Amino acid sequence: GGGEGATDEEGDGVKDEVLEEMENVARARPLNDAMVKIHRSFLIAASLVLRKKLPVQLEDIPLLTPENFDDDSHSLFDENCLCRDARTGSGGGSSVQGLTEKQREFLQGVIEAEVQEAMEGEGLKESLEVIYDLAVCWGSTKGVVKTIYVTVMWWNGRDVEVEEMVSGGLSGGIDAHVLMEEGVRIGCWRLQKLLEGFRREKGLKTILGALDADTTMYVKDVASKVEQKGGKGDTAKRKIVSVQATQHIVLHLLRYAKAADGAEGVDRVHALSILSNMLLDQSLKFLKRREAEAGR
């Protein structure tokens, strides 16, 4: 029974002195909300790393403000860590929509792992909920995670699966800035691969001289940076989709451009849409010529 004879030794038979000490510290000093948030974000991120077997060391997880720990990850778990003042810091580069570059790359890596496992339905939904929670801990939003998910699916040629999400627009939670930044890279990379295919096809390469030189140079520039950052082996694995699908992505970007970047962004994406439309038009004409020749 739980009468007066009950002692601390009952139950497990051992008193947790460490836990007792931490409770004493907590009673003596108030918890720092910012530090609690950092601690929580680390635990969520660590669980994702271990569950997905990501090639990330736990000490490399991009914390909200890594300066708090003086490059000593163990101090995250010392008895006073939740009571300390949180120092401000960059957390790994400039911030975009509440995320540092390292944090955003981390989220992309986790979502990429989910997509590669071809998870669908409730399994993927549950995983995204955990990632949403982490993003909020880092000061970002659910919409940013949804948008990163869309761009990861685009990279993997799975456009149709996220079409409804993208078509929902800003009211559907899509973040225009994040979609534009990554979407333009995806669009340019795809367009460059299509241009390279046109050059190899005798019946198509004649159109290349009629394309806007500034736009094609911009596309080549962006695609080259993508290759350099991701590695050719990485991008070579990405599925090359049709001209129609690429045009569809560029049209989505055109819809979001004004909300994200203003007039300059609209002009740039408008130029990409003209280029992709010309490639689509010429591809269709080329296929019709081939069909006609085959029918003779």
Side-chain angles (χ1 to χ4, degrees):
E4 294 180 1
T7 68
D8 290 331
E9 282 72 31
E10 290 187 16
D12 293 333
V14 178
K15 191 172 184 179
D16 192 331
E17 295 180 359
V18 174
L19 180 58
E20 184 181 47
E21 178 62 25
M22 291 186 75
E23 288 174 345
N24 289 337
V25 170
R27 281 193 291 268
R29 298 175 60 190
L31 298 181
N32 182 289
D33 289 343
M35 289 303 297
V36 170
K37 185 178 288 188
I38 291 170
H39 197 279
R40 176 173 168 73
S41 72
F42 178 85
L43 294 177
I44 297 172
S47 72
L48 289 168
V49 168
L50 297 173
R51 187 155 56 95
K52 294 288 137 199
K53 298 179 180 177
L54 300 177
V56 177
Q57 298 297 318
L58 293 183
E59 59 266 27
D60 293 331
I61 290 175
L63 299 166
L64 184 64
T65 52
E67 290 82 353
N68 281 288
F69 310 109
D70 300 321
D71 299 320
D72 177 9
S73 60
H74 297 294
S75 65
L76 182 64
F77 298 101
D78 69 33
E79 62 184 28
N80 296 308
C81 72
L82 298 181
C83 305
R84 279 186 281 158
D85 289 334
R87 302 177 192 173
T88 57
S90 63
S94 58
S95 176
V96 178
Q97 301 305 88
L99 293 174
T100 67
E101 184 178 350
K102 287 184 178 180
Q103 288 169 344
R104 185 166 159 186
E105 287 176 356
F106 180 84
L107 293 180
Q108 283 177 318
V110 174
I111 294 172
E112 180 74 36
E114 296 285 355
V115 170
Q116 291 303 324
E117 286 181 10
M119 294 178 65
E120 296 179 357
E122 290 304 310
L124 179 55
K125 184 178 179 182
E126 289 172 9
S127 295
L128 285 177
E129 288 296 333
V130 176
I131 301 169
Y132 293 152
D133 200 10
L134 176 58
V136 171
C137 277
W138 278 343
S140 191
T141 66
K142 183 176 179 178
V144 168
V145 174
K146 284 178 68 174
T147 311
I148 292 173
Y149 169 66
V150 166
T151 59
V152 168
M153 293 292 276
W154 280 355
W155 271 125
N156 285 273
R158 295 168 63 176
D159 309 14
V160 175
E161 295 175 56
V162 290
E163 178 59 28
E164 186 176 340
M165 193 177 286
V166 185
S167 297
L170 299 175
S171 61
I174 294 296
D175 187 285
H177 290 86
V178 175
L179 189 76
M180 285 296 299
E181 186 177 332
E182 192 68 11
V184 166
R185 283 199 284 263
I186 295 167
C188 287
W189 186 83
R190 287 191 181 193
L191 287 169
Q192 179 60 21
K193 293 302 175 185
L194 291 169
L195 288 170
E196 291 170 3
F198 269 48
R199 291 188 185 97
R200 291 191 294 269
E201 185 62 57
K202 186 178 179 181
L204 287 170
K205 64 181 181 181
T206 53
I207 185 60
L208 297 178
L211 302 177
D212 181 71
D214 288 342
T215 305
T216 54
M217 183 59 68
Y218 173 75
V219 165
K220 184 177 180 180
D221 234 17
V222 174
S224 176
K225 289 174 183 175
V226 168
E227 293 283 356
Q228 289 169 12
K229 185 175 182 181
K232 290 187 177 180
D234 193 31
T235 50
K237 294 177 185 175
R238 291 173 179 146
K239 183 180 178 182
I240 306 296
V241 295
S242 67
V243 188
Q244 289 97 324
T246 301
Q247 166 73 342
H248 205 50
I249 282 182
V250 174
L251 291 178
H252 275 311
L253 296 177
L254 196 57
R255 286 177 53 226
Y256 283 95
K258 191 170 183 180
D261 298 310
E264 185 178 348
V266 172
D267 290 344
R268 177 63 74 186
V269 178
H270 182 64
L272 294 179
S273 72
I274 292 173
L275 173 59
S276 63
N277 190 57
M278 287 185 71
L279 295 183
L280 175 59
D281 181 60
Q282 291 303 313
S283 295
L284 294 175
K285 287 180 179 177
F286 176 71
L287 290 174
K288 285 182 179 179
R289 285 198 302 270
R290 272 197 168 176
E291 287 173 1
E293 290 169 3
R296 286 175 187 170

